Amino acid sequence: MEKGKVFLVGAGPGDPELLTVKALRILEHAEVVVHDRLVSAGVLRLAARALLIDGGKRQGEQERIQDEINELLVHYAQAGRKVVRLKAGDPMIFARGAEEWEHLVRHGIEVEVVPGVSSALAVPSLAGIPPTCRGVAASFAVIAGHRENFMRTDWSLYAQLDTLVILMGVDNREYIAENLIRHGRSASQPVAFIENGTTPGERVIEATLSAVAAGQVDVESPAVFVIGEVVRLRRRLRSRQFAGERVA
C-alpha cells in the first residue's frame, strides 16, 4: 500500500478567515485531522470530510499524549490516508511541529509544512497593539511563558527589548513580571492581556507590569501577554472601547 502524507498545518489564531488559502484547501480534502485544543470550532468545521481526533494536551500528561499523537500520525499515514496535524497559530512556533516532523521522517513519512498566522503577531496587532512602531519600538521578542521554559530563561536578555510578546504565560505572569522588574524593566510599563484573540469572545485587559507582579490582574487562558510602550498605542489606534475591557 502506498503511504499517505502528513501536513503540518497552522490554523491561525482562531478566526477561520485568517487561515491561508493553502491551509483551507488542504483541510477541505483531508481524511484525518489531529488537532490541538486551541483550534477553533470554526476552523474544524472546514474539515467536513475528515475524521477529527482531539490531540489536546492536559497538564501533567503532555509527554504521554505527544507520544500518542506521533503514533496516530504514523498509523494513518502508513494506511495511505491524507493526514493533517492541525496546530493553533503556526506549527513551528512553540508547537512541537519540528519534533513531529522529525518523528515522521524517521518512519519514512512524507511531510509538508503549511505555515499559519501566529497568534504572537496577529492577536496584538488586531487588538491595536503593533509589536513594532517607528519611534516607539524597534525590536520585539516572542517568549514561551510556560514553566518548562521560563525556569531556565535568562530574563536579563529580555529586560531591555522594546516589546515582549509572551505565549502560554498566563499562569506564570506574576513570576515573569517580577523577574523583568528585577532585571531593570520599568515597573510602570504598560502591559496587555488579549484573551481569546480574534474570536467573538476576545477581551483586552490593560495594566502595568507592577500590577501584574503584585497579583492584581485577573486573566484567563488562552491569552497573549504583551509588555511594552506599544500598548499605549491601542487607545489611539482603536476608536471604540470593547465590552469587558478594563484597566487594572
Side-chain angles (χ1 to χ4, degrees):
M1 178 184 294
E2 183 178 352
K3 287 183 181 178
K5 181 176 180 178
V6 175
F7 297 83
L8 299 177
V9 177
D15 183 348
E17 292 191 354
L18 294 177
L19 276 175
T20 65
V21 174
K22 187 169 188 178
L24 174 60
R25 175 171 53 80
I26 290 170
L27 281 175
E28 289 176 336
H29 294 90
E31 295 177 281
V32 179
V33 174
V34 182
H35 61 90
D36 282 350
R37 177 177 57 86
L38 293 180
V39 175
S40 70
V43 171
L44 292 176
R45 281 194 291 270
L46 299 173
R49 303 179 181 180
L51 168 65
L52 299 179
I53 300 174
D54 185 352
K57 306 289 197 328
R58 293 183 294 276
Q59 190 65 34
E61 298 184 82
Q62 291 93 329
E63 294 306 318
R64 179 187 64 77
I65 294 173
Q66 185 61 56
D67 288 342
E68 291 178 356
I69 289 170
N70 291 344
E71 292 174 7
L72 283 169
L73 296 176
V74 170
H75 169 74
Y76 283 109
Q78 289 181 336
R81 310 293 287 276
K82 184 175 182 179
V83 184
V84 171
R85 176 67 173 110
L86 189 60
K87 296 174 176 288
D90 182 277
M92 296 296 142
I93 299 179
F94 304 140
R96 303 186 76 160
E99 297 172 41
E100 292 172 359
W101 189 353
E102 186 175 27
H103 180 82
L104 291 163
V105 168
R106 285 201 302 268
H107 286 80
I109 305 298
E110 183 181 0
V111 176
E112 182 174 343
V113 176
V114 182
V117 176
S118 173
S119 59
L121 304 181
V123 168
S125 295
L126 291 173
I129 305 171
T132 66
C133 180
R134 187 164 60 92
V136 180
S139 63
F140 73 95
V142 180
I143 308 166
H146 53 65
R147 185 175 181 83
E148 179 183 352
N149 179 71
F150 78 71
M151 290 299 288
R152 60 173 182 266
T153 295
D154 182 355
W155 290 100
S156 66
L157 299 175
Y158 299 109
Q160 303 306 317
L161 288 177
D162 293 328
T163 306
L164 302 180
V165 180
I166 302 171
L167 304 181
M168 302 171 288
V170 169
D171 289 345
N172 303 307
R173 59 191 181 279
E174 295 173 23
Y175 177 95
I176 292 168
E178 289 170 359
N179 275 273
L180 288 170
I181 293 170
R182 184 178 301 120
H183 285 96
R185 203 166 186 97
S186 172
S188 63
Q189 190 159 72
V191 307
F193 292 90
I194 305 111
E195 295 179 350
N196 300 303
T198 80
T199 74
E202 179 175 307
R203 184 173 77 121
V204 180
I205 303 164
E206 293 183 39
T208 62
L209 199 59
S210 61
V212 177
Q216 298 171 354
V217 180
D218 293 326
V219 59
E220 299 291 334
S221 296
V224 176
F225 181 8
V226 185
I227 304 168
E229 293 302 315
V230 292
V231 173
R232 300 188 197 278
L233 296 174
R234 184 168 184 271
R235 298 291 175 171
R236 304 204 317 248
L237 296 176
R238 304 293 294 208
S239 60
R240 63 186 179 88
Q241 302 301 307
F242 295 91
E245 189 175 302
R246 63 184 177 83
V247 178

